[in-house]
Amino acid sequence: MKWINAIIKPFTLDDVREALAEVGVQGMTVTEVKGFGRQHGHTELYRGAEYVVDFLPKLKIEIAVTDEQVERAIEAISGAARTGKIGDGKIFVMELEQAIRIRTQEVDADAL
């Protein structure tokens, strides 16, 4: 099993959710986050004053998938979240040792 964390632009969430549903991903956790990458934020003009926005609003999507679903999930996220512009986001994949569904006590792939 794998744990996938994806940082995406907020307006791409619906497309990412639909793309993941199409490849069989049944659940996800979405968190509003702020951060920056190589672009180090940007400058904005507000009431005539210029200021630097260091941390940009993003969404963090967390999903647990079976080993068989990993590549399809990555392709779904990257395809739906890609705009071709700076700040499209990142996808991180980590090994997931164990998963347990609290209600039924199912474990690992059955718990997903």
Side-chain angles (χ1 to χ4, degrees):
M1 295 179 302
K2 303 289 188 211
W3 185 251
I4 299 176
N5 286 326
I7 309 297
I8 62 170
K9 291 182 175 182
F11 65 86
T12 63
L13 177 61
D14 287 335
D15 293 336
V16 170
R17 183 188 51 78
E18 289 172 12
L20 285 169
E22 287 176 14
V23 297
V25 175
Q26 296 180 346
M28 69 176 64
T29 300
V30 179
T31 310
E32 292 180 6
V33 296
K34 291 182 179 187
F36 67 89
R38 291 183 184 159
Q39 76 270 24
H40 298 286
H42 64 277
T43 59
E44 288 187 4
L45 198 59
Y46 180 72
R47 294 188 176 184
E50 191 174 280
Y51 66 99
V52 177
V53 178
D54 290 330
F55 294 96
L56 303 172
K58 302 286 184 177
L59 293 179
K60 179 180 179 183
I61 298 174
E62 299 174 89
I63 59 174
V65 296
T66 62
D67 290 334
E68 294 78 31
Q69 292 177 304
V70 173
E71 289 305 317
R72 290 191 311 257
I74 291 170
E75 289 170 11
I77 294 167
S78 62
R82 182 181 302 119
T83 67
K85 297 190 174 27
I86 288 176
D88 275 350
K90 297 260 189 332
I91 300 172
F92 304 99
V93 181
M94 295 160 274
E95 192 66 37
L96 180 59
E97 263 186 56
Q98 188 176 26
I100 302 163
R101 182 172 305 193
I102 295 172
R103 179 178 55 87
T104 61
Q105 297 298 298
E106 293 170 297
V107 295
D108 297 335
D110 293 333
L112 302 181

